[in-house]
Amino acid sequence: MTVELISGDRHLTAVLVGELDHHTAAAARELIDARLERLTPPLLIIDMAGVSFMDSSGIGLILGRKRTAESYGGSVMIKNPSRPAEKVIRLAGLQELVIPEKAGGSPVSEKERKRK
Amino acid sequence: MKIKNYMKLTVPAKSVNESVIRSCTAAFAAQVDPTLEELSDLRSAVSEAVTNCIVHGYKDSEGEITVVLKLTADGWLYIKISDKGCGIEDIEQAMTPLFTTAPEGERAGLGFAVMEAFTDDLKVRSAVGKGTAVTMKKKLSGKYE
Ligand SMILES: Nc1ncnc2c1ncn2[C@@H]1O[C@H](COP(=O)(O)OP(=O)(O)OP(=O)(O)O)[C@@H](O)[C@H]1O
Ligand SMILES: [Mg+2]
């Protein structure tokens, strides 16, 4: 699993690529938290389009980062989950964290959606 | 139904073996030509059981995990994943969604829920101080040729 961190204006994006399980979640957690705690962005976006495998350890990773972000008043959203990631996210009842897709295919942020 | 093929694997309880066992299981199941969705579900269910042996059964200390796979002519896969770790005191409670004894390890308490949702049958046997065995059955859409 590789983790790429991209800092935006008011958000941090973590792009996860590869298999997300108990073995790989530990390193991903450390990488994301180090940046998250330093920058305390209002929004952390976890991009899961490239997650080829995920089990409940991925849910632990999402909920753990949500807890970290909420501790300083931030929030977490999931972008473009792959089919295997989406299935487990749904089972965990976390669909509301997934950024809804626009008709054109590009995702709309939670804020943009509320403004409409 | 007659068992057409089987496999038995024993590996040390190291987290790197989570993906090793997932891949071996998918490779074994592939002989009946299942759908990609079935293989994906199977990998998730197996990963949950193996992870539980490592993080709960052996609590990240040393031990062995044994996986037995059996395949019938009409595409039923039997999976048994066992450890000789600490065992489970209350199995019903352990299988309740969101119940976890390791929240500090960022566990969500969803492993058994995934195994249940992604297979056709799940049974757990456990004895405190002796270990735990999880058996799952999954119908694969292909047939053994
Ligand atoms: N092999 C095992 N040995 C000992 N205890 C186990 C074993 N498997 C499961 N348990 C117990 O059952 C509980 C529930 O397991 P389950 O997989 O559903 O959730 P979890 O592992 O705690 O969290 P998650 O799987 O979401 O990361 C565990 O917290 C643990 O107490
Ligand atoms: Mg588990």
Side-chain angles (χ1 to χ4, degrees), chain A:
Chain A
M1 155 133 287
T2 64
V3 182
E4 193 190 348
L5 295 165
I6 306 162
S7 303
D9 196 14
R10 291 179 51 77
H11 62 266
L12 172 69
T13 304
V15 184
L16 308 186
V17 178
E19 303 206 330
L20 178 51
D21 64 6
H22 159 249
H23 181 69
T24 59
R29 174 172 64 218
E30 272 179 38
L31 282 167
I32 298 171
D33 275 3
R35 189 74 71 89
L36 201 57
E37 281 158 12
R38 187 158 59 83
L39 300 178
T40 61
L43 177 64
L44 168 69
I45 297 171
I46 306 177
D47 186 326
M48 303 194 111
V51 173
S52 55
F53 171 86
M54 184 172 123
D55 62 17
S56 65
S57 295
I59 299 300
L61 182 81
I62 295 167
L63 292 178
R65 304 302 62 71
K66 187 167 180 281
R67 211 173 305 127
T68 308
E70 283 171 355
S71 72
Y72 63 77
S75 61
V76 170
M77 303 254 8
I78 302 161
K79 186 176 163 185
N80 290 334
S82 62
R83 172 85 183 136
E86 204 236 320
K87 253 185 122 164
V88 184
I89 289 167
R90 204 167 272 284
L91 186 86
L94 298 179
Q95 308 89 289
E96 77 271 16
L97 295 184
V98 178
I99 302 172
E101 294 217 4
K102 269 189 205 157
S106 72
V108 203
S109 78
E110 187 66 15
K111 265 196 200 139
E112 268 181 69
R113 199 160 56 114
K114 281 185 185 147
R115 236 183 268 137
K116 281 180 191 159

Side-chain angles (χ1 to χ4, degrees), chain B residues 95-107:
Chain B
M95 292 178 79
T96 306
L98 305 181
F99 175 84
T100 182
T101 49
E104 73 291 341
E106 294 203 339
R107 310 316 313 168

Side-chain angles (χ1 to χ4, degrees), chain A residues 56, chain B residues 48 52 56-57 83 87-88 94 99-101 107-112 132:
Chain A
S56 65
Chain B
E48 296 293 352
N52 279 352
H56 304 299
D83 65 62
I88 303 174
F99 175 84
T100 182
T101 49
R107 310 316 313 168
L110 286 170
F112 283 127
T132 301

